[in-house]
Amino acid sequence: MTNDSGIFDGRILVVAFEGWNDAGEAASGAVRTLKDALDVVPVASVDPELYYDFQFNRPVLASDEEGRRRLEWPGTVVYAPVSPGVRVDPLEEDAEFHASGSGVGNLYLLLGTEPSRSWKAFTTELIDAALSAGVDGVVLLGSMLADVPHTRPISVFASSDNAEVRTDLGVERPTYEGPVGILTVVAEAAEAVGIPTLSLWASVPHYVHNSPSPKAMLALIEKLEQIIDVTVPRGDLVADSAAWESGIDALAADDEDMASYIEQLEQARDTVDSPEASGEAIAQEFERYLRKRGDKGDGRGPEEPWRRD
């Protein structure tokens, strides 16, 4: 998938929410990586009192740089580039820390927690902020728990309800029907006001859902770089990804049932990745993952699915 059309050459809002859409913290982790690598400032936020149930998304007590404890409330923030439209080519010694490319000055970020209530009003606020910023396109990042092995590259499925985006980027049209997260609501609202959208979903092994997945974060960033002219420094993600995979390998080495289960997943994945597998077959596999997730509410399967009574 390459962006030869220019649809995503303008101002792009990259969106991620913690919660239902964020298995392994992959989507929110990817946007946080972008935030650290970009020169952005907050330009809009929502009132947490209106949209969050604090018994479900509790505020967190944390210490600031001066050691003072402060409450951090759940919320959602839109970030804009300090110098909109300016190409960034950092010095060689800064390349490890700062993003570069013609798309850097056009990248806006939205990072938050999935709201507990009033989704329509919440979405209206965010779309108004996007329109005020002159956003030309929205890329929504999500991650789902799936029957995939940790030993293979993380799959990232791209889809769009926008016909022009599908034609120009060669992506699938989603056919999933069932329970949805806030990403779907935001995408529909953006399309309704004429802002084209693209959704990128990473598949995270469901047998390691209790820990963040740096490998999935990295996969989302790499896919985003194929769409937008931006190079994002990896920081510790490459080393963390290798450590994440090695840690799971060590667990499997001590558990014959788990190792056998992972081998089954590897065989299934290799079949899907074979030259004979069609794009339709891969899309159907993705839809199956989403349906299973919707059926389970929070998308979490059994913690040890290789165990059989």
Side-chain angles (χ1 to χ4, degrees), residues 7-257:
I7 288 180
F8 290 99
D9 284 344
R11 296 187 174 187
I12 304 303
L13 178 65
V14 182
V15 176
F17 288 96
E18 298 173 344
W20 198 83
N21 316 269
D22 193 30
E25 302 175 18
S28 61
V31 172
R32 284 194 178 89
T33 299
L34 283 169
K35 179 175 171 290
D36 291 341
L38 298 170
D39 192 8
V40 293
V41 292
V43 293
S45 62
V46 300
D47 182 353
E49 291 282 348
L50 299 177
Y51 303 116
Y52 294 96
D53 179 346
F54 298 137
Q55 289 186 323
F56 182 72
N57 296 116
R58 292 183 179 273
V60 176
L61 193 61
S63 298
D64 61 18
E65 294 180 355
E66 298 178 1
R68 291 173 299 187
R69 297 195 306 164
R70 297 183 181 276
L71 280 175
E72 296 179 357
W73 297 88
T76 296
V77 179
V78 177
Y79 299 88
V82 172
S83 303
V86 176
R87 179 184 176 92
V88 176
D89 292 305
L91 299 174
E92 185 174 345
E93 59 268 23
D94 293 334
E96 183 180 352
F97 307 103
H98 300 289
S100 61
S102 63
V104 168
N106 288 324
L107 269 182
Y108 292 69
L109 306 177
L110 188 156
L111 182 62
T113 303
E114 184 176 64
S116 308
R117 53 178 171 260
S118 303
W119 282 20
K120 290 182 180 180
F122 175 85
T123 302
T124 297
E125 279 202 46
L126 299 184
I127 296 301
D128 286 347
L131 291 171
S132 297
V135 166
D136 299 302
V138 175
V139 179
L140 304 114
L141 304 187
S143 48
M144 59 185 176
L145 298 174
D147 298 330
V148 295
H150 70 283
T151 53
R152 298 294 187 265
I154 296 291
S155 297
V156 176
F157 183 80
S159 65
S160 177
D161 279 309
N162 186 290
E164 186 178 0
V165 173
R166 292 198 303 271
T167 298
D168 292 330
L169 297 184
V171 300
E172 302 284 344
R173 181 175 188 170
T175 58
Y176 167 73
E177 296 179 353
V180 299
I182 191 64
L183 287 179
T184 302
V185 181
V186 171
E188 184 180 74
E191 291 285 354
V193 297
I195 304 176
T197 64
L198 175 71
S199 296
L200 303 178
W201 282 83
S203 298
V204 178
H206 67 98
Y207 52 90
V208 288
H209 65 76
N210 287 326
S211 61
S213 176
K215 189 173 181 178
M217 298 176 199
L218 190 58
L220 284 170
I221 289 171
E222 291 172 347
K223 183 66 74 171
L224 189 64
E225 288 178 330
Q226 296 177 20
I227 302 161
I228 303 170
D229 181 18
V230 59
T231 299
V232 182
R234 302 308 194 246
D236 296 327
L237 274 181
V238 175
D240 290 346
S241 297
W244 175 82
E245 188 169 334
S246 297
I248 303 170
D249 287 342
L251 290 175
D254 293 332
D255 190 322
E256 185 176 338
D257 290 337

